[in-house]
Amino acid sequence: MNSVLQKKSYDAISRQDWPVAEQNLRRLCKGTKAQASDFYNLAKVLEQVGKFGQIPIWLRRAIQHNPNYVAALYELGRWEVNYGNALVAYSWLKKAYTLAPSDSDISELFVSVACKTGHWETAEQILVRTQPNPKNIANLFRVQCELRKLTLTEQLTFINENAGPEMLRTMTKVSCGVLPFRID
């Protein structure tokens, strides 16, 4: 019975028939042999049909079945960022990052939440290990400014070497009303 429901669910998902997928997954999740992936998939289908309030229930069930289910940990962190609490998001994303430090989506969201919640040291530790790109470089600049690690001269050098839209957005966040450069 489970394998038939799983097949029907996955077929409905592939057709993007969200109501049928939801119905089949709900039936599947009521069974005693439901797997973590079934709960996770139901949460993702609920996202597609706009039932956002129900999503964390099913993600938590997926995590209860498999505490190291990285995708569910990430999605629960993402849900908390959008609809819940940033500090709760931080704890879910921290666990996801611990299990999958090379996942760029997890790293990017974790850095964002770490900055939002004032976990500057954590954000710095992640950023020094990530691929340098304009967003990561700008975030590293912000974190190092927040940690008071850069002198004004170092800030100017950092800005000049990494000028661009991301750096300009970041500079305005850390400038405290005084931008450390001259426009000639």
Side-chain angles (χ1 to χ4, degrees), residues 60-122:
R60 284 188 183 98
R61 286 192 184 173
I63 294 166
Q64 284 173 341
H65 276 70
N66 179 356
N68 295 327
Y69 196 161
V70 173
L73 293 163
Y74 169 77
E75 289 296 335
L76 193 50
R78 190 172 69 86
W79 186 90
E80 288 289 345
V81 166
N82 293 323
Y83 306 104
N85 180 304
L87 287 172
V88 175
Y90 178 85
S91 65
W92 290 117
L93 292 167
K94 182 178 182 179
K95 183 161 186 186
Y97 178 79
T98 300
L99 295 168
S102 61
D103 185 305
S104 61
D105 290 334
I106 294 171
S107 300
E108 185 177 322
L109 186 57
F110 188 35
V111 165
S112 172
V113 171
C115 290
K116 188 181 290 189
T117 57
H119 290 91
W120 303 111
E121 293 84 5
T122 299

Side-chain angles (χ1 to χ4, degrees), residues 166-179:
E166 287 292 337
M167 185 57 76
L168 183 58
R169 276 191 286 278
T170 300
M171 284 177 7
T172 60
K173 289 179 184 174
V174 297
S175 68
C176 298
V178 179
L179 294 175

Side-chain angles (χ1 to χ4, degrees), residues 108-177:
E108 185 177 322
L109 186 57
F110 188 35
V111 165
S112 172
V113 171
C115 290
K116 188 181 290 189
T117 57
H119 290 91
W120 303 111
E121 293 84 5
T122 299
E124 183 182 38
Q125 291 168 3
I126 296 166
L127 286 166
V128 296
R129 287 184 251 151
T130 59
Q131 278 290 82
N133 63 40
K135 187 172 186 173
N136 289 342
I137 291 168
N139 279 333
L140 183 58
F141 172 76
R142 177 180 181 200
V143 166
Q144 290 183 337
C145 286
E146 295 289 350
L147 290 170
R148 309 284 191 254
K149 288 189 171 184
L150 301 175
T151 66
L152 184 57
T153 303
E154 291 169 328
Q155 287 179 32
L156 291 169
T157 301
F158 207 113
I159 291 166
N160 288 330
E161 290 175 356
N162 300 289
E166 287 292 337
M167 185 57 76
L168 183 58
R169 276 191 286 278
T170 300
M171 284 177 7
T172 60
K173 289 179 184 174
V174 297
S175 68
C176 298

